Amino acid sequence: MAGLTVLIVEDEILIAMELEDLLTDHGATCLDPVGSIGKALTTIEGHRVDMAFLDVRLRGESIDPVADRLAAAGTPFLFTTSYGVDALPPAHRHRPMIAKPYGDSTIIRAFAEHCPN
């Protein structure tokens, strides 16, 4: 994870902070977590993002525009959700998903499997 910049898109601040702490403890650089679609899109435009963790629903909004933007840029991302695979954007159902609640080892394993080389 060392040297990789990670974007966390999560509207539950405690979950976002725990994920950020875990990833930084393992050497990643995390951008400030964002909790809205608009802020996520602005952050993507203004920063290098090597990988992202995306909550599927943000304050009732679907994550589709963020997933589409990351996919267009070739940036790997994982979904995090408690809703199940049916909640994923249809165009991105082939992408990895981590079910909430998740443990630290699940996050680290998923990051290792899907991070850019």
Side-chain angles (χ1 to χ4, degrees):
M1 290 186 201
L4 296 177
T5 301
V6 179
L7 173 63
I8 299 168
V9 182
E10 170 64 62
D11 60 352
E12 294 290 334
I13 192 64
L14 292 178
I15 293 172
M17 290 170 47
E18 288 176 3
L19 183 55
E20 180 182 23
D21 287 346
L22 175 64
L23 295 173
T24 56
D25 285 350
H26 283 83
T29 299
C30 291
L31 300 170
D32 289 338
V34 298
S36 72
I37 300 297
K39 181 67 175 168
L41 294 171
T42 300
T43 300
I44 292 166
E45 289 302 316
H47 296 86
R48 186 189 98 226
V49 176
D50 296 312
M51 186 163 184
F53 286 84
L54 308 178
D55 186 4
V56 172
R57 305 279 309 159
L58 299 175
R59 298 182 184 112
E61 290 185 274
S62 177
I63 198 69
D64 296 46
V66 177
D68 292 344
R69 181 79 50 89
L70 291 168
T75 304
F77 58 90
L78 298 105
F79 291 108
T80 61
T81 186
S82 57
Y83 294 107
V85 71
D86 290 338
L88 299 181
H92 300 286
R93 288 203 175 134
H94 63 285
R95 301 210 182 255
M97 182 195 85
I98 300 171
K100 290 179 181 178
Y102 48 74
D104 292 356
S105 62
T106 301
I107 293 294
I108 298 306
R109 185 173 44 256
F111 191 99
E113 287 176 21
H114 302 287
C115 73
N117 294 327

